[in-house]
């Protein structure tokens, strides 16, 4: 299927004028105009398939929000090309707006002084939303986000969590083909985060909405997205599935609980000698230990058999690879399959 988002060599530079401190500084810049260039987005290319749920991730300052602003038609790129649902966003802002929804966790897209119900009425008109679509979506927002009680309240009086419920509902209200969510769960409690993740998935499954999400909360990523685009220093370092990244990672961990016994400490200390693929054995609480190992080099059944011989095992847990740890590894040491052993 043809991509719904195409990004090719996208670059955004900002000129920052240097300014000496104090009054004299602000006067002298009128003459000297010394500036430096900040590359917020540097030659980034990727495609997104229709109906995909993609996490667009990178460290602070990597250029995620700037990319989303370009795709939403808010910012014009310095060079490169992009297209969202066949529209060049910064050339045809209005046509683009009909195809997309945008949520910025850090700032509001709504009319600050208007009651929530009025904002929705305006959106309904702007996007010419049919009664069937409006009612269907409002039913879902009521069920998952409980927004009815907020109808009469001006947006500026809403709490952060209340405002985010409304922002997210507003972004999906017209069944857009793509929704960009830039840190949609930042600062929210666990229950609301869950409701928002469920809503995003439901809209994706029921309407086919393509989702592009940025978040520093890896639970958002694992619960919402199948695909990842990882950028670092404004460049794409990985594009593929979450599953493929997980399986590249050879570091794995198990936890086990055992009945404390005099010989246990020594048995723990000997583990790494028996199994050279073990990187670390870490006693946790009393009667619990963690083993970190390299999956490709370890005979896991042999390790488990060994543990059952040496310890009075009470419980045993295999820890799923931790996405946050894997991604931190990518930023610090490169892709897992390209590192020196
Ligand atoms: N309007 C602007 N003027 C000058 N520099 C900017 C502007 N907007 C962004 N930048 C710079 O571009 C870089 C990328 O910023 P951006 O907000 O896109 O990062 P981000 O990946 O969203 O980071 P975060 O995870 O912290 O939200 C940063 O160095 C930032 O300071
Ligand atoms: Mg950002």
């Amino acid at each position: 299927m043809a991509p719904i988002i195409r990004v090719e060599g996208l670059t955004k530079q900002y000129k920052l004028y240097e300014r000496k401190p104090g009054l004299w500084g602000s006067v002298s810049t009128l003459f000297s105009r010394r500036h430096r260039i900040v590359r917020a987005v540097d030659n980034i290319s990727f495609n997104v398939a229709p109906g995909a749920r993609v996490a667009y991730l990178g460290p602070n300052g990597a250029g995620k929000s700037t990319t989303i602003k370009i795709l939403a038609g808010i910012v014009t790129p310095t060079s490169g090309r992009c297209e969202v649902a066949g529209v060049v966003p910064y050339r045809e802002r209005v046509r683009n707006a009909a195809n997309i929804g945008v949520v910025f966790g850090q700032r509001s897209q709504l009319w600050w002084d208007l009651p929530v119900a009025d904002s929705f009425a305006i959106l309904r008109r702007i996007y010419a939303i049919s009664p069937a679509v409006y009612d269907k979506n409002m039913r879902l927002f009521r069920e998952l986000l409980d927004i009815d009680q907020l109808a009469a309240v001006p947006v500026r009086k809403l709490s952060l969590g209340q405002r985010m419920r409304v922002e997210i509902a507003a972004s999906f209200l017209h069944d857009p083909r793509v929704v960009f969510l830039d840190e949609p769960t930042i600062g929210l409690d666990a229950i609301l985060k869950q409701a928002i993740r469920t809503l995003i998935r439901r809209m994706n499954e029921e309407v086919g909405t393509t989702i592009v999400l940025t978040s520093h909360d890896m639970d958002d990523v694992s619960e919402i997205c199948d695909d990842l685009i990882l950028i670092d220093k404004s460049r794409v370092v990985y594009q593929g599935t979450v599953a493929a990244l997980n399986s590249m990672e050879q570091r794995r961990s198990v936890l086990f609980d055992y009945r404390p016994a005099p010989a246990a400490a020594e048995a723990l200390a000997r583990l790494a000698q028996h199994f050279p693929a073990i990187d670390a054995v870490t006693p946790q609480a009393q009667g619990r230990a963690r083993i970190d190992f390299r999956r490709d080099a370890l005979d896991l059944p042999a390790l488990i058999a060994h543990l059952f011989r040496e310890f009075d095992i009470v419980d045993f847990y295999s820890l799923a690879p931790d996405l946050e740890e894997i991604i931190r590894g990518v930023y610090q040491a490169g892709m897992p399959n390209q590192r020196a052993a």
Side-chain angles (χ1 to χ4, degrees):
M1 233 186 305
I4 192 162
I5 301 174
R6 295 171 199 269
V7 172
E8 220 184 281
L10 201 65
T11 300
K12 177 69 189 178
Q13 298 184 347
Y14 288 107
K15 250 185 207 178
L16 284 186
Y17 288 96
E18 279 173 3
R19 196 174 163 179
K20 290 172 201 138
L23 178 62
W24 177 244
S26 64
V27 172
S28 67
T29 50
L30 290 178
F31 304 101
S32 69
R33 307 298 280 172
R34 291 212 309 170
H35 66 265
R36 76 192 159 88
I37 302 279
V38 177
R39 264 194 202 154
V41 174
D42 188 7
N43 194 23
I44 286 206
S45 304
F46 61 83
N47 287 336
V48 175
R53 296 184 301 258
V54 182
Y56 187 56
L57 306 182
N60 290 129
K64 305 177 295 293
S65 296
T66 307
T67 309
I68 289 179
K69 283 176 196 160
I70 296 171
L71 296 175
I74 301 167
V75 162
T76 303
T78 312
S79 60
R81 287 187 296 186
C82 64
E83 224 177 78
V84 178
V87 173
V88 178
Y90 45 89
R91 281 202 202 121
E92 295 186 81
R93 283 166 185 236
V94 176
R95 253 184 86 201
N96 189 54
N99 291 331
I100 68 163
V102 199
V103 174
F104 291 102
Q106 312 276 26
R107 62 164 223 224
S108 181
Q109 295 282 98
L110 296 168
W111 293 272
W112 205 235
D113 291 313
L114 291 185
V116 171
D118 294 11
S119 287
F120 277 51
I122 293 175
L123 290 171
R124 189 175 183 172
R125 282 258 197 97
I126 292 180
Y127 296 122
I129 304 172
S130 73
V133 167
Y134 190 82
D135 293 345
K136 164 190 75 90
N137 285 341
M138 289 307 279
R139 225 174 299 128
L140 188 62
F141 302 154
R142 256 176 227 128
E143 177 195 333
L144 290 173
L145 302 176
D146 196 21
I147 55 169
D148 273 348
Q149 44 162 329
L150 308 174
V153 186
V155 171
R156 71 183 142 76
K157 291 196 179 161
L158 298 175
S159 77
L160 173 65
Q162 290 168 337
R163 181 172 70 74
M164 287 315 294
R165 275 146 59 186
V166 173
E167 301 266 352
I168 290 188
S171 73
F172 282 101
L173 188 63
H174 58 300
D175 273 0
R177 297 183 60 195
V178 182
V179 171
F180 298 98
L181 300 133
D182 191 353
E183 303 193 45
T185 64
I186 191 165
L188 305 185
D189 69 46
I191 293 173
L192 184 51
K193 280 186 182 184
Q194 205 51 53
I196 287 172
R197 290 167 190 159
T198 306
L199 177 83
I200 296 170
R201 286 201 69 115
R202 287 269 297 267
M203 292 305 283
N204 170 263
E205 280 155 15
E206 290 167 21
V207 183
T209 316
T210 305
I211 302 295
V212 178
L213 167 89
T214 84
S215 181
H216 293 291
D217 181 338
M218 288 308 125
D219 290 337
D220 284 350
V221 176
S222 10
E223 286 179 38
I224 296 169
C225 302
D226 294 320
D227 294 299
L228 283 180
I229 298 168
L230 230 58
I231 60 170
D232 191 14
K233 301 184 187 79
S234 313
R235 288 169 190 283
V236 177
V237 291
Y238 176 75
Q239 174 162 24
T241 62
V242 179
L245 183 66
N246 276 339
S247 66
M248 264 180 229
E249 180 59 69
Q250 296 295 337
R251 289 175 305 176
R252 287 288 188 280
S253 306
V254 292
L255 269 185
F256 64 102
D257 293 340
Y258 55 92
R259 284 206 179 78
E266 213 182 299
L268 277 182
R270 276 198 313 266
L271 275 176
Q273 290 159 23
H274 276 279
F275 298 93
I278 290 181
D279 292 323
V281 176
T282 320
Q284 312 279 101
Q286 175 78 335
R288 170 173 286 192
R290 173 187 170 122
I291 303 177
D292 299 312
F293 58 91
R294 274 158 289 131
R295 186 183 55 172
D296 50 341
L298 184 85
D299 182 350
L300 187 58
L303 171 68
I304 293 171
H306 180 88
L307 292 176
F308 274 89
R309 271 197 309 275
E310 298 278 313
F311 298 87
D312 186 358
I313 299 281
V314 181
D315 213 337
F316 193 88
Y317 320 82
S318 174
L319 303 181
D322 181 27
L323 189 59
E324 183 153 353
E325 219 170 285
I326 295 175
I327 289 176
R328 199 185 322 126
V330 171
Y331 295 141
Q332 289 170 345
M335 292 297 293
N337 58 346
Q338 288 161 12
R339 278 175 222 157

